Amino acid sequence: MSTADSTADSTADRAAESAGRPAPSWAGDRAPAGRQRLGRLALVAFAVAAAVDLVSLLAGWHLGHVIAKPLLMPLLVTHMATRGAPRLLLAALLFGWGGDLALLFDAEPAFLIGMGSFAVGHVCYLVLFGKRPANPLLGGAYLLALLGTVALLWSDLPADLRIPVAGYSLLLTAMAFRSSALGLRAGIGGALFLLSDTLIATGVADWPQLPRPDFWIMATYLAAQYLLATGTTPRAAGVR
């Protein structure tokens, strides 16, 4: 066979490959493996950023908190996205990120914006949870906790925040209750979210606080978002 014939055959082979022959198996594995590595790196980075944030709060290092806090939810979103998380879950985490950024500013308008962003995130969670049945006794306990907490806080809250806080509390409690329908992990996440925001509300009402209250708020919040994200994904993987 001549060199020209060999070249022609080689060209024909390449054309056939591009026309539909399967690629080598190792080429098909690169994308999933790359996503897995990215997901692991994002999770490690999330853990590091969370540690930096919490240590900064314990040490009273405000700059560390300002640097680390905005990184947290995007890193968790990246990790969950590589696991094929539902879009509603990613949206809930991103609206949580919006609330995180707003609450970095110590002003009432920023507090209201942050509360609104978190509220939209709770709506995303509620839609994602769907109509799965949950324990009605637990629902009754959450309702009593909601009514008792709002009643106790009401007179100590600034007058212009009473209605917004009460409405937000209702939405948050509904999310916490409905999260229990997805299992223990997500249910604990919902309960911790409720606890974290209740700690914020007691601070707004100027109630006595634990030492380093911001540490406890962030610790419960980060655990809540992580548990909700990882507790929701396995059962909602078909949702997009």
Side-chain angles (χ1 to χ4, degrees):
M1 181 183 295
S2 68
T3 303
D5 291 339
S6 298
T7 302
D9 289 344
S10 177
T11 302
D13 288 343
R14 286 196 297 271
E17 287 180 3
S18 62
R21 286 185 185 174
S25 59
W26 52 262
D29 292 340
R30 278 183 177 177
R35 284 196 296 270
Q36 290 175 4
R37 284 195 295 271
L38 176 61
R40 287 193 294 268
L41 286 173
L43 183 60
V44 170
F46 171 76
V48 171
V52 170
D53 189 49
L54 295 176
V55 170
S56 297
L57 291 172
L58 281 176
W61 185 36
H62 183 65
L63 180 59
H65 174 61
V66 170
I67 293 172
K69 188 178 183 182
L71 302 176
L72 293 165
M73 288 306 106
L75 289 170
L76 185 56
V77 165
T78 301
H79 171 65
M80 298 311 303
T82 62
R83 296 181 59 185
R87 292 176 183 174
L88 280 170
L89 172 59
L90 302 182
L93 295 173
L94 287 173
F95 279 111
W97 180 49
D100 291 344
L101 296 179
L103 293 185
L104 285 172
F105 300 92
D106 188 15
E108 186 172 306
F111 177 78
L112 289 170
I113 292 170
M115 187 164 59
S117 189
F118 281 120
V120 178
H122 296 324
V123 172
C124 292
Y125 274 129
L126 284 168
V127 176
L128 177 61
F129 297 159
K131 297 181 179 180
R132 297 176 180 84
N135 190 328
L137 293 178
L138 182 61
Y142 269 122
L143 178 60
L144 290 176
L146 169 66
L147 295 175
T149 302
V150 171
L152 291 171
L153 288 170
W154 187 264
S155 61
D156 293 327
L157 290 170
D160 57 340
L161 289 181
R162 289 171 182 168
I163 298 299
V165 168
Y168 175 80
S169 298
L170 175 61
L171 186 58
L172 170 60
T173 304
M175 185 282 293
F177 167 56
R178 293 296 306 143
S179 69
S180 66
L182 278 76
L184 183 61
R185 177 185 287 257
I188 292 174
L192 287 175
F193 212 133
L194 179 60
L195 173 59
S196 179
D197 281 5
T198 300
L199 292 175
I200 294 176
T202 60
V204 173
D206 203 23
W207 283 16
Q209 299 291 296
L210 294 168
R212 299 295 183 189
D214 288 346
F215 168 82
W216 299 109
I217 290 168
M218 281 304 297
T220 50
Y221 167 70
L222 291 174
Q225 290 282 43
Y226 177 77
L227 290 173
L228 281 169
T230 56
T232 298
T233 301
R235 297 193 180 196
V239 181
R240 289 293 182 271

